[in-house]
Amino acid sequence: MELSVQIQSFIVSFVYGFLFSYLVNLCYRWLFLSGKVFRLFFNFFFCLFVCLLYFYFLYLINGGVVHFYFLILLGIGFVIGNFFSRKARYVFFKRKK
């Protein structure tokens, strides 16, 4: 794999981790606070959608090759994004009440 393709995959993995954390915090109420049956179905479809979208982005960039370090960058992006988006979740839910 060429260096430019790897760098693009790094950037997409990090940004997608950031986006994933915002999606989790945006859907927090349905992912964690709803009824058991609804939560089970919503979690399943949410995870399926998020995973398929990530693999589709990787398919567009590098032919769908997933390396371990792409997943590490995805996790780092999630942790950093969660630090910022958690604050937004609390502000959003305080306004709704």
Side-chain angles (χ1 to χ4, degrees):
M1 189 180 323
E2 294 180 11
L3 183 61
S4 63
V5 173
Q6 283 189 357
I7 292 172
Q8 289 175 351
S9 300
F10 285 154
I11 292 170
V12 164
S13 294
F14 181 78
V15 170
Y16 194 76
F18 208 84
L19 174 71
F20 178 56
S21 70
Y22 271 100
L23 287 175
V24 167
N25 283 306
L26 185 65
C27 299
Y28 184 81
R29 180 175 292 166
W30 300 291
L31 287 171
F32 302 110
L33 302 178
S34 59
K36 286 184 181 183
V37 174
F38 179 76
R39 187 172 56 209
L40 178 72
F41 285 115
F42 192 79
N43 278 321
F44 175 75
F45 288 114
F46 181 78
C47 291
L48 183 69
F49 173 73
V50 168
C51 290
L52 288 177
L53 190 62
Y54 177 65
F55 288 127
Y56 179 71
F57 285 149
L58 284 182
Y59 178 75
L60 292 177
I61 293 171
N62 65 10
V65 178
V66 179
H67 291 285
F68 184 67
Y69 44 86
F70 294 159
L71 298 176
I72 290 173
L73 277 169
L74 181 74
I76 291 171
F78 180 83
V79 169
I80 292 172
N82 197 32
F83 176 73
F84 294 111
S85 64
R86 193 173 357 150
K87 293 177 184 178
R89 177 180 67 200
Y90 293 130
V91 171
F92 178 72
F93 284 131
K94 283 182 182 178
R95 286 185 192 166
K96 283 215 138 190
K97 290 181 180 180

